[in-house]
Amino acid sequence: MEPQQKPTVVITGASSGVGLYAAKAFAKRGWHIVMACRDLDKAQKAAQTVGIPQDSYTLMHIDLGSLESVRQFVSIFRARGMSLDALVCNAAIYMPLLKEPLRSPEGYELTVTTNHLGHFLLSNLMLEDLKKAPSSEPKLVILGTVTHNPDELGGKIPPRPDLGNLAGFAEGFKEPISMIDGKDFEPVKAYKDSKVCNVLTMRELHRRYHQSTGITFSSLYPGCVADTPLFRNHYPLFQKIFPWFQKNITGGYVSQELSGERVAAVVADPEYKQSGAYWSWGNRQKKDGKSFVQKVSPQARDDEKGDLMWELSAKLVKLA
């Protein structure tokens, strides 16, 4: 089949980890994958390494840490006349050892820009493409994490995620401001806060657009992928110990391959039609291997906070 005769999914951050193995899982299901990545040479080599057939994917450049790059990606996607059945917002950065914040070209703190604001803009822009999806069941999926939820073990470990009243966003989110709550920079909290925003974004998309568009909006926590390249900026000792700990102590370890299969399932399989759902397989893997809809954190289910996050994020990304 030609690429546009197949259902098409855009996956951000598809050059490694969960995104790469999700691309592989989609290819096995007969989908065409747009691998949206910063480093296209790396993505090409990764796709070949895991055995994704060359006619199953298209490489396209995007840097979620640059809002202009996001806009360029959407323009080029449309200029190529491509259709869209699903968007998977997967890309993320995690830089726990930073002492000072890095900045996006717009002057925003880079972790929150890459993980949240870039995907917020991309999701809003590509709603128009999803509305025209050839399939009758377009999907938009945003990857979640257990660390967004202080009611779960991963979220209880300090620093805990906390958006506060989003003062940092309200004040423009530029230097010297580097945190959503307006407080001092803390790189691990910046990551956790960005993931709270991911879940809030999914829920707001559902609340605002599901009924009128028929698009299914959902998130998932595919399990603890302890050896994902997401941790490449952590201490080398952590990178060795954490997978062992999750495999042998908590029982929460999930392989990159299985996590990718779960992402593809949430998009492609009929049992995942519920919009507004946060799918999980549990902190520790259940013996039956079945997914369930998990309650999100108190902040992530706060509709007033979600509405405020949406309005402030729209202003920061200059959403028309």
Side-chain angles (χ1 to χ4, degrees):
M1 289 188 291
E2 293 299 317
Q4 288 302 288
Q5 291 180 296
K6 301 178 179 181
T8 299
V9 56
V10 169
I11 307 176
T12 64
S15 63
S16 65
V18 177
L20 174 62
Y21 284 93
K24 180 181 178 181
F26 275 109
K28 287 196 297 184
R29 283 171 157 80
W31 285 59
H32 189 81
I33 306 100
V34 175
M35 299 176 70
C37 307
R38 284 182 297 178
D39 186 334
L40 298 188
D41 288 339
K42 176 184 174 183
Q44 177 77 62
K45 291 173 185 174
Q48 292 172 347
T49 298
V50 300
I52 303 174
Q54 189 143 1
D55 63 354
S56 292
Y57 64 90
T58 299
L59 301 174
M60 288 185 64
H61 178 264
I62 192 171
D63 180 355
L64 275 298
S66 163
L67 301 180
E68 180 57 33
S69 176
V70 173
R71 287 190 165 87
Q72 288 177 0
F73 170 86
V74 175
S75 295
I76 294 170
F77 181 89
R78 290 172 180 165
R80 292 186 177 187
M82 303 180 79
S83 60
L84 183 66
D85 297 275
L87 170 62
V88 175
C89 296
N90 161 77
I93 59 172
Y94 176 56
M95 296 180 286
L97 307 184
L98 285 181
K99 303 301 183 186
E100 299 292 333
L102 300 177
R103 297 280 172 181
S104 74
E106 297 78 19
Y108 305 146
E109 191 277 321
L110 191 60
T111 298
V112 171
T113 305
T114 302
N115 300 356
H116 165 55
L117 291 174
H119 280 130
F120 178 86
L121 177 60
L122 181 65
S123 297
N124 274 278
L125 294 178
M126 300 208 86
L127 281 177
E128 294 306 312
D129 303 272
L130 287 170
K131 288 177 186 176
K132 303 170 188 172
S135 69
S136 59
E137 297 176 354
K139 300 275 186 73
L140 194 162
V141 174
I142 304 177
L143 268 285
T145 170
V146 70
T147 59
H148 95 276
N149 192 347
D151 291 343
E152 299 282 342
L153 178 62
K156 288 179 179 176
I157 299 171
R160 292 159 68 100
D162 184 8
L163 305 184
N165 62 0
L166 291 95
F169 272 9
E171 293 169 23
F173 204 48
K174 292 187 178 181
E175 199 169 359
I177 299 167
S178 57
M179 298 294 289
I180 296 173
D181 61 6
K183 296 181 180 178
D184 292 340
F185 179 64
E186 211 301 327
V188 175
K189 184 175 180 296
Y191 172 79
K192 291 182 178 182
D193 288 351
S194 73
K195 300 309 289 184
V196 175
C197 287
N198 285 161
V199 181
L200 282 170
T201 298
M202 178 276 289
R203 287 171 57 85
E204 281 296 301
L205 284 164
H206 165 73
R207 188 174 70 84
R208 291 165 184 257
Y209 298 115
H210 172 64
Q211 192 166 4
S212 61
T213 66
I215 299 168
T216 296
F217 302 99
S218 57
S219 293
L220 76 150
Y221 170 55
C224 185
V225 192
D227 50 8
T228 172
L230 179 68
F231 298 116
R232 61 182 170 266
N233 294 310
H234 216 308
Y235 291 112
L237 184 60
F238 176 89
Q239 295 178 49
K240 290 181 179 179
I241 291 176
F242 190 53
W244 178 89
F245 183 77
Q246 293 296 336
K247 288 176 183 177
N248 298 288
I249 305 300
T250 71
Y253 174 82
V254 173
S255 69
Q256 296 178 66
E257 186 129 18
L258 179 55
S259 70
E261 288 284 349
R262 288 172 172 177
V263 172
V266 168
V267 172
D269 292 359
E271 60 262 40
Y272 297 99
K273 290 182 179 179
Q274 183 178 337
S275 188
Y278 181 89
W279 298 97
S280 178
W281 285 257
N283 231 352
R284 296 172 178 82
Q285 302 311 294
K286 298 195 307 180
K287 289 181 181 178
D288 62 12
K290 291 183 179 179
S291 59
F292 60 96
V293 176
Q294 188 171 39
K295 182 182 268 190
V296 299
S297 74
Q299 286 190 94
R301 60 179 185 265
D302 183 334
D303 290 341
E304 287 187 14
K305 186 159 287 188
D307 186 61
L308 178 60
M309 179 280 303
W310 182 281
E311 297 304 327
L312 294 174
S313 297
K315 183 179 290 187
L316 290 173
V317 303
K318 295 179 170 58
L319 193 63

